[in-house]
Amino acid sequence: MAVNLKPMDDANLSPIEGLKLSVAEAGIKYPGRKDVLVMHLDKGNTVAGVFTQNRFCAAPVQICQAHLDAGVQIRALVVNTGNANAGTGEQGRLDARAVCDAVAQELGCLSEQVLPFSTGVILEPLPADKIIQALPHRYTVGWAGAAEAIMTTDTVAKARSRSISLGGMPVAITGIAKGAGMIHPNMATLLGFIATDAAITRPILNQLVREVADVSFNCISIDGDTSTNDSFMLISTGKSAARLIDSDDLPEYSELKAALVALAIELAQAVVRDGEGATKFVTVTVEGGRSVAECKAVAYAIARSPLVKTAFFASDPNLGRLLCAIGYAGVHDLDVDRVALYLDDVLVACNGGRSPEYREEQGQQIMQKPEFSVRVLLNRGEAETRIWTCDFSYEYVRINADYRS
Amino acid sequence: MAVNLKPMDDANLSPIEGLKLSVAEAGIKYPGRKDVLVMHLDKGNTVAGVFTQNRFCAAPVQICQAHLDAGVQIRALVVNTGNANAGTGEQGRLDARAVCDAVAQELGCLSEQVLPFSTGVILEPLPADKIIQALPHRYTVGWAGAAEAIMTTDTVAKARSRSISLGGMPVAITGIAKGAGMIHPNMATLLGFIATDAAITRPILNQLVREVADVSFNCISIDGDTSTNDSFMLISTGKSAARLIDSDDLPEYSELKAALVALAIELAQAVVRDGEGATKFVTVTVEGGRSVAECKAVAYAIARSPLVKTAFFASDPNLGRLLCAIGYAGVHDLDVDRVALYLDDVLVACNGGRSPEYREEQGQQIMQKPEFSVRVLLNRGEAETRIWTCDFSYEYVRINADYRS
């Protein structure tokens, strides 16, 4: 069902020096499936992350943040699918630590030097023993295999690479992400890992991960549900010959950031294109707001509305539903007579009502495309935002009514 | 598809003295269907209403509020289905006024003494001429016929009556409501009209309509979309021999309010039971919050979550999705270790994880019922709230992907 989304194979994905990937089959939910990924980092790296704001954040999210806060050199990231280890209380934290312990013992490092990640069903105990028993049976993979190992309801593995030059030195960037449901950003969303061989100090990496997340993974919504396990990590192995980035004043900072943002947007869009049951990929732009916050409120009201999303699915230009969503987005002093609504480049509504030139055939034609844009002009300020979303289909209901069976 | 909802016939519905009902077939959307309702009020009545907070509120909502604010004696309410007259700008207001003019001319009153209401598709011009031409061809109906005339995607007409005694004098109350989609309250929701022959002053009726809406129509969500046309009206014809209610200190105030609340809750629940595609009727209670606002935030996070609603539909006790929704509801300092989650009387989660006694068969058994409750204890204060919602089914998608065809 994915909208214009093709898997990448390892021929298109750059290895990142200083980082080794391996997977195992722990049989967490299904037998014979790669469901554990270990990223093994050489010394000299820096790692930073942003995490879900869900108060029921998963045990691995809590442990991961604690290990990052400890300020030790990170040596490995371990990811499992099939179980979120969320809503699992104290036992969940013990289980996440047990998995870190096992990886640490093998690599000869401290448990705090291992970062854990989980994704899957919530409120079920993590079968930590299965993961620990499977760990010694890992085999090496490339990024395509790594992307595949973290899939849940995803139908396409998501990985992308870029090569850039910083100060004349080559730098590689490769990222993977997973996610297809329970996608609604709040600081970060889903599981995303982007690695680069550029050298970046930890404070700068901390800044970079937030700035990148805010314009990529924090700009998507599939179903309005903010996951308990969202984690987005930036990994710098420091093996490139390019100069160390220790300040955001350096030209390298801006150049690297631009490449990271472009890659993260591609991955975030891939998540939406592969949204559960998605048949349409829709860009929602809101311009002319008084603040980015109010632009986001309008954009997400549209992206979350089941009535708008089912109209997208039906290719039905029942565009009053868009006005309705704009109207209840919480911009309490919005003057609706100044709002303009476009579908791609076609003006649909203005002056509080339908544009006199608009013909329904135009709307129909645009909405039948697999990709189109909704553009809202609030005409009350200079702020703007852009997010990506998908439609709501029978298939979404089927997937989520059947997910655990 | 409606969950435990039967239509009422006129044998079970009390006429209200001083109020006459008539309907017409204007062919607004479908030929041969009653799509216009007129409520004709004798002099001596009082009318009060609450309206949608959607900024794209419909033209009739704007006109209705203006006419109520004019302080004149209301003589008629006119309701059409098939077209919302929303997102129609200045022309929409002219059309709504034209319909009021036509009713006023017939009844020999001012246009300001007529209140207009519309429901149906947004962003399409109101065919006011069709309504005006149909008005002379009205025929008298009872409340069952009135309820039927305001249906859109409703599958069951919604009407209820109660008889009470105030100070030894009989008082009758009858109400009708419509709504099955675009239901998410904000001050008022959908179209609801409750009439009583009790005599109530306008200031007291203004207070009463808000108090009743807040615990009934403002406590339901079907799809999280707040309509452009929500209007809830209380009509007092004053024909009962009971004493005039001119203060909320009178015992009659409390007695009447209790009956109005009970009736409004029945109507509001009927809307949810008949929710688009609904197969489950779910009561969500949140207790132990620091404020009603935070209890509502948690309750509506649950009621709006597509993942929770599809699990309801599937009778799948994938209850981690409930924890997830509680976690992202916006209670930023929520201590999840103190939260308890019940399904009916079964403790599902506590101490941040699954209750040791909980067995999935228990959850399954409860969720297979057409009606059950979700109860959340936040354990951080004394506030509580209770709302009603339904599930999310294939049928919801079908209805809303086909609605205009």
Side-chain angles (χ1 to χ4, degrees):
Chain A
M1 298 283 282
V3 185
N4 296 340
L5 185 65
K6 294 271 178 286
M8 290 278 175
D9 59 29
D10 281 327
N12 305 110
L13 297 168
S14 317
I16 301 296
E17 200 189 334
L19 184 158
K20 283 188 285 295
L21 301 161
S22 56
V23 299
E25 296 172 7
I28 295 170
K29 191 166 159 196
Y30 304 106
R33 184 169 150 179
K34 295 185 289 184
D35 52 9
V36 174
L37 166 68
V38 176
M39 303 187 197
H40 182 190
L41 304 183
D42 288 353
K43 289 180 185 165
N45 69 74
T46 47
V47 179
V50 285
F51 301 92
T52 183
Q53 298 300 296
N54 192 308
R55 293 296 301 164
F56 265 104
C57 75
V61 171
Q62 299 170 46
I63 302 299
C64 190
Q65 287 178 302
H67 288 188
L68 279 176
D69 289 348
V72 294
Q73 168 78 93
I74 300 303
R75 296 304 308 281
L77 293 78
V78 54
V79 191
N80 76 271
T81 63
N83 184 302
N85 193 7
T88 47
E90 182 54 26
Q91 185 59 45
R93 289 185 283 271
L94 294 174
D95 288 335
R97 281 202 198 93
V99 172
C100 292
D101 289 346
V103 174
Q105 196 168 7
E106 183 199 328
L107 302 181
C109 67
L110 299 172
S111 190
E112 286 71 25
Q113 295 179 287
V114 181
L115 303 179
F117 304 86
S118 298
T119 178
V121 178
I122 302 169
L123 202 65
E124 290 186 6
L126 183 75
D129 51 340
K130 285 188 181 180
I131 298 172
I132 292 165
Q133 282 159 28
L135 280 171
H137 307 289
R138 297 203 307 281
Y139 47 97
T140 300
V141 293
W143 283 104
E148 202 182 315
I150 62 172
M151 290 165 71
T152 48
T153 56
D154 307 61
T155 67
V156 177
K158 299 164 186 79
R160 292 288 184 281
S161 283
R162 301 214 156 202
S163 300
I164 60 170
S165 164
L166 293 183
M169 298 297 166
V171 161
I173 309 171
T174 298
I176 58 175
K178 69 120 316 214
M182 206 174 265
I183 300 291
H184 187 77
N186 190 348
M187 299 306 288
T189 186
L190 48 77
L191 296 187
F193 304 92
I194 298 182
T196 175
D197 54 6
I200 311 156
T201 61
R202 177 74 188 274
I204 292 298
L205 200 67
N206 281 339
Q207 174 182 339
L208 208 44
V209 72
R210 294 192 176 278
E211 291 182 358
V212 172
D214 274 349
V215 294
S216 59
F217 292 111
N218 277 355
C219 294
I220 60 176
S221 184
I222 288 175
D223 49 17
D225 279 294
T226 301
S227 160
T228 48
N229 290 57
D230 295 343
S231 307
F232 168 54
M233 310 298 297
L234 268 188
I235 301 163
S236 147
T237 65
K239 301 295 182 191
S240 154
R243 168 162 69 147
L244 175 71
I245 301 175
D246 56 3
S247 158
D248 59 6
D249 289 336
L250 295 178
E252 286 88 342
Y253 179 88
S254 310
E255 289 161 32
L256 180 66
K257 181 181 160 186
L260 288 170
V261 162
L263 189 103
I265 286 178
E266 269 194 72
L267 287 173
Q269 290 185 347
V271 169
V272 175
R273 290 176 187 284
D274 198 18
E276 288 174 341
T279 72
K280 302 283 166 71
F281 176 82
V282 184
T283 302
V284 181
T285 309
V286 180
E287 300 168 31
R290 290 208 185 125
S291 67
V292 171
E294 75 175 31
C295 293
K296 289 224 170 195
V298 170
Y300 282 122
I302 291 170
R304 291 181 71 158
S305 160
L307 290 172
V308 168
K309 291 167 95 79
T310 47
F312 286 164
F313 170 56
S315 306
D316 175 7
N318 191 339
L319 301 173
R321 294 178 179 177
L322 284 163
L323 292 193
C324 179
I326 296 165
Y328 69 65
V331 184
H332 297 295
D333 57 352
L334 183 68
D335 179 354
V336 298
D337 289 340
R338 304 190 67 182
V339 171
L341 171 69
Y342 288 82
L343 216 54
D344 280 355
D345 292 331
V346 172
L347 178 63
V348 172
C350 55
N351 299 320
R354 198 158 69 178
S355 160
E357 288 79 36
Y358 172 72
R359 294 290 166 268
E360 186 152 323
E361 304 80 71
Q362 298 175 293
Q364 179 96 55
Q365 204 167 14
I366 292 166
M367 290 181 74
Q368 277 166 347
K369 299 191 299 179
E371 303 194 20
F372 56 88
S373 72
V374 170
R375 186 166 157 244
V376 180
L377 308 186
L378 299 178
N379 280 316
R380 52 192 254 128
E382 300 299 323
E384 59 182 58
T385 197
R386 184 179 54 163
I387 68 166
W388 299 280
T389 190
C390 60
D391 59 336
F392 228 157
S393 68
Y394 294 108
E395 190 65 8
Y396 178 88
V397 178
R398 192 195 62 72
I399 291 167
N400 285 298
D402 286 355
Y403 174 41
R404 297 201 317 167
S405 56
Chain B
M1 297 284 283
V3 185
N4 295 340
L5 185 65
K6 295 269 177 290
M8 291 276 175
D9 58 29
D10 280 328
N12 305 110
L13 298 167
S14 316
I16 301 295
E17 200 189 333
L19 184 158
K20 283 187 285 294
L21 301 161
S22 57
V23 299
E25 296 173 5
I28 295 170
K29 193 167 158 194
Y30 304 107
R33 185 169 150 179
K34 294 186 288 184
D35 52 10
V36 174
L37 166 68
V38 176
M39 303 186 197
H40 182 191
L41 306 182
D42 288 352
K43 288 179 186 166
N45 69 75
T46 49
V47 179
V50 284
F51 300 92
T52 184
Q53 298 301 295
N54 193 309
R55 293 297 301 166
F56 265 105
C57 74
V61 171
Q62 299 170 46
I63 302 300
C64 190
Q65 287 177 301
H67 288 188
L68 278 176
D69 289 348
V72 294
Q73 168 78 92
I74 301 303
R75 296 304 310 280
L77 293 78
V78 54
V79 191
N80 75 270
T81 63
N83 185 302
N85 193 8
T88 46
E90 182 54 28
Q91 186 59 45
R93 290 184 283 271
L94 293 174
D95 288 334
R97 280 202 197 92
V99 172
C100 292
D101 288 347
V103 173
Q105 196 167 7
E106 182 199 328
L107 302 182
C109 67
L110 299 172
S111 191
E112 286 71 25
Q113 295 178 286
V114 180
L115 303 179
F117 304 86
S118 298
T119 178
V121 178
I122 302 170
L123 201 66
E124 291 186 4
L126 182 77
D129 50 340
K130 285 188 182 180
I131 298 173
I132 292 164
Q133 281 159 26
L135 279 171
H137 307 289
R138 297 204 306 280
Y139 46 98
T140 300
V141 292
W143 282 104
E148 201 182 317
I150 62 173
M151 290 166 71
T152 47
T153 58
D154 307 61
T155 67
V156 177
K158 298 165 186 81
R160 292 288 184 283
S161 281
R162 301 214 154 199
S163 298
I164 59 170
S165 164
L166 293 183
M169 298 296 167
V171 162
I173 309 171
T174 297
I176 60 175
K178 71 121 313 214
M182 207 174 265
I183 299 292
H184 186 77
N186 191 348
M187 298 308 287
T189 186
L190 50 76
L191 296 188
F193 304 92
I194 297 183
T196 175
D197 54 4
I200 312 157
T201 62
R202 177 72 188 274
I204 292 298
L205 200 67
N206 280 339
Q207 175 181 339
L208 208 44
V209 73
R210 293 193 175 278
E211 291 181 359
V212 171
D214 275 350
V215 294
S216 58
F217 293 111
N218 277 356
C219 292
I220 60 175
S221 184
I222 289 174
D223 50 16
D225 278 295
T226 301
S227 160
T228 47
N229 290 58
D230 295 343
S231 307
F232 168 53
M233 310 298 296
L234 269 188
I235 301 163
S236 147
T237 65
K239 300 297 182 191
S240 154
R243 170 163 66 149
L244 175 71
I245 301 175
D246 56 3
S247 158
D248 58 7
D249 290 335
L250 295 178
E252 284 90 341
Y253 179 88
S254 310
E255 289 160 33
L256 180 67
K257 182 181 160 186
L260 288 170
V261 162
L263 188 106
I265 286 178
E266 268 194 72
L267 287 173
Q269 290 185 346
V271 169
V272 175
R273 291 177 187 285
D274 197 18
E276 288 173 342
T279 72
K280 302 283 165 70
F281 176 81
V282 184
T283 302
V284 181
T285 310
V286 179
E287 300 168 29
R290 290 208 186 124
S291 66
V292 171
E294 76 176 29
C295 293
K296 289 224 169 195
V298 170
Y300 281 121
I302 291 170
R304 291 181 71 158
S305 160
L307 289 172
V308 168
K309 292 168 95 78
T310 47
F312 287 163
F313 170 56
S315 305
D316 176 7
N318 192 338
L319 301 174
R321 293 178 180 177
L322 284 163
L323 291 193
C324 178
I326 296 166
Y328 69 65
V331 184
H332 296 297
D333 56 354
L334 183 67
D335 179 355
V336 299
D337 290 339
R338 304 191 66 184
V339 172
L341 171 68
Y342 288 83
L343 217 52
D344 279 354
D345 291 331
V346 173
L347 178 63
V348 172
C350 54
N351 299 319
R354 197 159 69 179
S355 162
E357 289 78 37
Y358 172 72
R359 295 289 166 269
E360 185 151 324
E361 304 80 71
Q362 297 175 293
Q364 181 96 55
Q365 205 168 12
I366 292 166
M367 290 182 73
Q368 277 166 348
K369 299 190 300 179
E371 302 196 19
F372 57 88
S373 72
V374 170
R375 185 165 158 245
V376 180
L377 308 187
L378 299 178
N379 279 316
R380 51 191 255 129
E382 300 298 323
E384 58 182 58
T385 198
R386 186 180 52 164
I387 68 166
W388 300 279
T389 191
C390 60
D391 59 335
F392 229 155
S393 67
Y394 295 108
E395 191 63 9
Y396 179 88
V397 178
R398 191 195 62 72
I399 291 167
N400 285 298
D402 286 356
Y403 174 40
R404 296 200 318 168
S405 56

